[in-house]
Amino acid sequence: MRADRLVSLVLLLRQHGRLSAVALARELEVSTRTVLRDIEALSSAGVPVYAERGRHGGFALLPGFRTELTGLNHDEALALLIAGSRRGAHAFGLGSALASAMLKVVDALPESYRDTAAGAAERLLIDPETDLLSRRLVAEEVPDTVVAEVRRAVLAGHKLRIHYAAVDQSPKWRTVDPIGLVTVRDQGYLLATRSGEDRTYRLSRVLAAQELAEPAQRPDRVDLDRAWQERSTRFRTGGDQVTVLLRVNPARREDLLGTALAVRAEEADSDGWLRMEVAFQDSRHAEWALWQLSTNAEALSPPWLRDSLRNRATALATRYGVSS
């Protein structure tokens, strides 16, 4: 919308002091002709923007033109900036809106807080794209048109039609009553009900969405955190789960917990290793998790898992055995 663009233009000039029409066009993702028209509109509306000629010229605001957001202390301002650094908004298609909002917040802060809060925020990093082992944490891509339609239905309380591609199934259209949106490690989920039954849909598997005019059948208020916890619990305790009795080196306990669904029992063995009863989603999950731990873990039961790991190790040893 043009009004939002005009506000962003003013804030960019406030932040940078002077910018050329080309630079403004690049920041606002419009043409230079549009920028010139916007500058003219701002001037007509009484905003003190003026042009400076020359190679280093551009557009600028008269010094002192600003409004301030009062009532925020330093820690509150810092909290806002840190919240703006989180990537969760991108999962809901609000990345550009978040960037615009943070620009407005920084501009409106009292000068005494603006510089110190912004400097402090540069020294705090939340959820980087890679971990210490350089494993990239890839956010799932969801088309803006899809997530915007889902978001509108959730916030308006309307029924929603989604073309959903469930795992190992052909995509199907289904009508749901949306309850809320959740983002976990840059993966977005839609919590909904369908024919009165709880359903959880991964946004990256929603191929198309359509907000309907019919009101959704859902409670007026919802404890989304509790709803998510309940569904997570059902997920961990359902399906083709397997329970494994194993021993693990204490140094690798956290690695095991990062992959297991649940730990049902745990005690220390006489040699210092941990004896644990652990649940995995299925047999392939159990085999994969134990294989990652190499000689730092030993599956005690079930027998089929021991056989599977032994066969895999034998095949690997054969592959890299000394040739005659």
Side-chain angles (χ1 to χ4, degrees), residues 35 58 70 88 94 150 164 182 184 189 213 217 231 270 288 313 323:
V35 167
T70 58
L94 294 172
V150 173
Y164 191 73
V182 176
V184 181
Y189 297 88
Q217 299 298 313
R231 295 184 187 209
S270 57
W288 175 86
S323 57

Side-chain angles (χ1 to χ4, degrees), residues 62-313:
L62 287 178
F65 178 76
R66 63 176 293 105
T67 57
E68 289 192 345
L69 182 64
T70 58
L72 285 179
N73 61 36
H74 176 270
D75 287 346
E76 290 171 338
L78 178 60
L80 283 175
L81 295 178
I82 294 301
S85 72
R86 302 296 296 268
R87 300 194 304 272
H90 294 272
F92 300 147
L94 294 172
S96 60
L98 177 62
S100 176
M102 287 300 102
L103 187 63
K104 294 175 183 177
V105 167
V106 171
D107 181 77
L109 287 174
E111 187 173 356
S112 59
Y113 292 150
R114 186 169 65 253
D115 294 338
T116 56
E122 291 177 353
R123 300 183 180 277
L124 301 173
L125 178 61
I126 309 296
D127 289 339
E129 292 186 356
T130 60
D131 63 13
L132 285 176
L133 299 179
S134 296
R135 295 175 296 197
R136 187 172 180 83
L137 307 177
V138 181
E140 295 183 330
E141 296 294 331
V142 184
D144 289 344
T145 54
V146 171
V147 72
E149 196 76 5
V150 173
R151 188 177 67 247
R152 281 194 294 268
V154 169
L155 299 181
H158 291 165
K159 286 185 178 293
L160 179 70
R161 288 188 73 232
I162 56 175
H163 195 213
Y164 191 73
V167 178
D168 298 329
Q169 296 183 24
S170 299
K172 296 179 182 178
W173 282 98
R174 56 200 75 189
T175 299
V176 302
D177 295 294
I179 293 175
L181 291 168
V182 176
T183 177
V184 181
R185 297 176 183 172
D186 291 335
Q187 295 177 353
Y189 297 88
L190 166 66
L191 272 59
T193 60
R194 185 177 175 215
S195 300
E197 298 292 331
D198 287 345
R199 294 288 186 270
T200 302
Y201 301 100
R202 198 157 170 169
L203 289 182
S204 61
R205 294 176 182 154
V206 179
L207 307 181
Q210 178 185 4
E211 178 191 3
L212 304 179
E214 183 181 353
Q217 299 298 313
R218 66 181 192 180
D220 293 334
R221 301 186 63 84
V222 63
D223 184 340
L224 206 56
D225 184 63
R226 180 177 179 181
W228 177 255
Q229 293 296 332
E230 290 175 349
R231 295 184 187 209
S232 298
T233 300
R234 286 199 297 269
F235 175 79
R236 291 194 302 268
T237 57
D240 300 322
Q241 284 191 20
V242 298
T243 299
V244 175
L245 180 62
L246 57 85
R247 283 169 25 92
V248 64
N249 186 331
R252 299 298 301 275
R253 179 181 182 276
E254 294 303 317
D255 294 329
L256 175 64
L257 297 186
T259 60
L261 290 181
V263 175
R264 294 174 177 164
E266 179 178 353
E267 63 181 2
D269 263 354
S270 57
D271 60 358
W273 275 39
L274 299 174
R275 183 178 292 260
M276 304 175 69
E277 187 176 323
V278 181
F280 294 99
Q281 189 62 40
D282 52 32
S283 58
R284 291 200 304 174
H285 181 201
E287 181 179 348
W288 175 86
L290 269 294
W291 183 257
Q292 304 308 305
L293 297 175
S294 184
T295 56
N296 287 292
E298 177 189 2
L300 302 177
S301 67
W304 62 261
L305 180 57
R306 291 179 59 87
D307 293 342
S308 179
L309 291 170
R310 181 180 62 251
N311 293 339
R312 177 182 280 201

